[in-house]
Amino acid sequence: MTEAWGPDDDEPRRHHGPVRVRVPAKINLHLGVGPLRDDGFHELNTVYHAISLFDELTARPGDTLTLTMEGEGAGTLALDESNLIMRAARALAARTRVPAYARLHLRKSIPLAGGLAGGSADAAATLIACDLLWGTGLTREELAEVGAELGSDVPFLLHGGTALGTGHGEAVSPILARPTTWHWVLAIADGGLSTPEVYRKLDDLRAGSWPPKALSGPDELMAALRQRDPEVLGAALGNDLQAAALALRPELADVLKCGSEAGAVAGLVSGSGPTCVFLATDAAHAARVAAGLNSAGVCREAVTARGPMPGARVT
Ligand code: ATP
């Protein structure tokens, strides 16, 4: 239900609410990390893939800006101005010169600091929800510009699907492949890993090696996606952050080994970890791999997921 924001019909329309937005987690099918740049970022070449593990953000009209939450990380995650949801709402309000008034509620399923970009996902959901609630009417490209200031993965999570990320991940272009559903298993760890710490560890591991490691391109992965064969895709998956995540959390090697013994086509650390992700041939195979990981007790929980999924969308 909408109503006129102003008397003029050309003006944006705001929403009475509630506006409910569902947003997926991401994994990286390829994550090539170049050397550290002068601006403190690493040049990335990545293939993002949105999967069916979702957070849900609800926005209602309010007299001020408030945030509540339930689910993963409730009681741990700060709900103050440091939260990416609050920062996203403030950034959109500043850009569009509207008062940042909303009651926001997060139902969180994406584990915290898991290498699945849950915080960026929540920021993307907030931009979509508040844009509709406030009637600010930004295009997806304009929302992506606001999002890129909040986190490198936010533009992709507005977009979803499978996409190439360059720059420090914020420059996103869709990969046009014939529609194929891929089946995944996520081994969710106890506790998280700090993304900046994983990058610092990678820099340490690379220090002294000459010539500096070149940025690995996604060509093999892109070709594998077109073949629609899990074995071919499995052989092309890769993550330059994996060695650093394993150095910080050596027990992840057991998780990867266990997934392989449970019959996964391939396995790797998701982004900066510690979540490990495994490729399966179909839904039944994914369920068997998840059961194998769960019965081995090497992770907090193994769950199945499908991809690609759309980005942040109003439900
Ligand atoms: P990335 O790879 O993008 O760094 P990640 O999946 O490893 O992401 P996130 O769950 O996005 O990690 O969170 C990283 C940190 O961001 C958290 O430890 C937390 O301090 C902070 N944060 C701020 N807002 C949020 C949010 N809404 N959800 C999760 N984390 C948030």
Side-chain angles (χ1 to χ4, degrees), residues 26 77-78 82-85 106 108 110-120 122 153 193 195 272-273:
K26 67 85 193 155
L77 183 61
S82 69
N83 195 292
L84 278 161
I85 294 174
L106 173 67
K108 194 155 185 62
I110 306 174
L112 291 192
L116 300 167
S120 299
D122 297 344
D153 298 334
L193 263 178
T195 304
S272 53

Side-chain angles (χ1 to χ4, degrees), residues 45-161:
N45 229 320
T46 189
V47 176
Y48 290 115
H49 184 69
I51 56 167
S52 60
L53 173 64
F54 301 103
D55 280 357
E56 188 187 86
L57 186 94
T58 306
R60 294 182 171 83
D63 303 325
T64 170
L65 184 65
T66 58
L67 172 61
T68 51
M69 76 170 285
E70 62 188 295
E72 276 285 332
T76 312
L77 183 61
L79 301 178
D80 58 14
E81 294 290 332
S82 69
N83 195 292
L84 278 161
I85 294 174
M86 299 293 272
R87 291 177 49 206
R90 298 267 183 225
L92 179 65
R95 162 88 179 231
T96 56
R97 297 169 196 277
V98 299
Y101 294 162
R103 283 184 296 136
L104 305 173
H105 183 74
L106 173 67
R107 264 178 60 189
K108 194 155 185 62
S109 302
I110 306 174
L112 291 192
L116 300 167
S120 299
D122 297 344
T126 306
L127 293 176
I128 296 283
C130 290
D131 182 56
L132 187 58
L133 187 74
W134 297 338
T136 42
L138 263 55
T139 63
R140 246 162 222 273
E141 286 67 36
E142 289 168 331
L143 291 174
E145 277 170 32
V146 179
E149 300 288 317
L150 300 159
S152 305
D153 298 334
V154 181
F156 170 70
L157 289 155
L158 288 164
H159 194 284

Side-chain angles (χ1 to χ4, degrees), residues 273-284:
T275 307
C276 291
V277 57
F278 299 93
L279 179 61
T281 50
D282 55 34

Side-chain angles (χ1 to χ4, degrees), residues 162-304:
T162 305
L164 185 64
T166 53
H168 46 89
E170 84 295 356
V172 175
S173 20
I175 294 173
L176 299 172
R178 278 186 298 166
T180 308
T181 298
W182 300 100
H183 295 272
W184 304 98
V185 178
L186 303 178
I188 294 165
D190 275 319
L193 263 178
S194 147
T195 304
E197 205 179 318
V198 176
Y199 275 96
R200 277 197 296 275
K201 180 52 97 177
L202 180 70
D203 294 336
D204 288 352
L205 293 175
R206 286 177 171 177
S209 68
W210 192 262
K213 189 179 174 311
L215 178 59
S216 63
D219 295 354
E220 188 193 344
L221 193 280
M222 307 261 269
L225 277 173
R226 285 194 288 275
Q227 292 193 49
R228 308 168 87 195
D229 177 343
E231 293 289 343
V232 175
L233 182 65
L237 296 171
N239 177 3
D240 280 354
L241 288 180
Q242 179 159 312
L246 287 173
L248 291 168
R249 292 278 283 269
E251 69 274 19
L252 295 181
D254 298 332
V255 181
L256 293 173
K257 184 160 170 266
C258 183
S260 160
E261 285 167 2
V265 176
L268 78 172
V269 169
S270 173
S272 53
T275 307
C276 291
V277 57
F278 299 93
L279 179 61
T281 50
D282 55 34
H285 182 216
R288 289 198 300 279
V289 172
L293 283 157
N294 279 323
S295 64
V298 288
C299 55
R300 166 153 68 95
E301 190 188 8
V303 296
T304 61

